[in-house]
Amino acid sequence: SSSSSPPSSAPSSSSSSSRRGARPAAKKTLRLRAAELVEWRVGFQVARASVVKLAARCPGLLRTTEAEFGSRQGPTAELPLDALRGLLAWAATGRLRCRRSHLEAICDALTAWGAFDLAERVAERMGEW
């Protein structure tokens, strides 16, 4: 099942067809959670490529399954949505931009995810303000 595979795994190259036994195309999105989501919400869809880029920069996310990303105990579940957006943009561009109020949450997430160098730089930035 695709919900048990890490998002960092290469998407299936086979496309859906009418042939019997053909594998369907890999999902292009997966669900993430953020702190603002109410309990009964199942998460929101994010491009799989964005999450793969984030996992590539954060070793602690490499073995996280799709189901874990969308769970209430998942690695992004406690992050404010704007902070999560900032981290996804950082994964794509290499530049981290965020609100000052989110620096601590971002630093904690980066530390938990194994991105220690960036977490240290964020912590230094927090000390400057």
Side-chain angles (χ1 to χ4, degrees):
S1 147
S2 66
S3 66
S4 65
S5 64
S8 59
S9 60
S12 169
S13 61
S14 58
S15 60
S16 57
S17 69
S18 60
R19 288 185 291 143
R20 175 171 254 160
R23 290 178 57 188
K27 294 191 296 184
K28 293 183 179 173
T29 62
L30 57 94
R31 292 194 184 276
L32 291 183
R33 293 193 62 81
E36 293 87 350
L37 285 180
V38 292
E39 188 69 22
W40 54 269
R41 296 278 303 173
V42 295
F44 54 93
Q45 296 290 325
V46 175
R48 171 187 291 279
S50 296
V51 179
V52 167
K53 287 177 184 176
L54 183 61
R57 290 183 179 260
C58 300
L61 295 178
L62 287 175
R63 291 195 174 133
T64 305
T65 65
E66 288 183 33
E68 290 168 336
F69 271 111
S71 80
R72 289 179 180 89
Q73 295 79 34
T76 63
E78 299 297 319
L79 274 173
L81 183 57
D82 284 344
L84 179 54
R85 283 185 186 132
L87 286 165
L88 290 168
W90 161 71
T93 66
R95 287 194 63 153
L96 179 60
R97 299 179 65 139
C98 65
R99 294 182 181 166
R100 289 181 189 176
S101 61
H102 294 146
L103 285 174
E104 187 173 353
I106 287 174
C107 186
D108 291 346
L110 290 169
T111 300
W113 300 344
F116 302 113
D117 290 342
L118 183 59
E120 187 175 310
R121 286 184 292 188
V122 170
E124 288 171 3
R125 184 66 132 180
M126 286 175 10
E128 293 174 6
W129 288 329

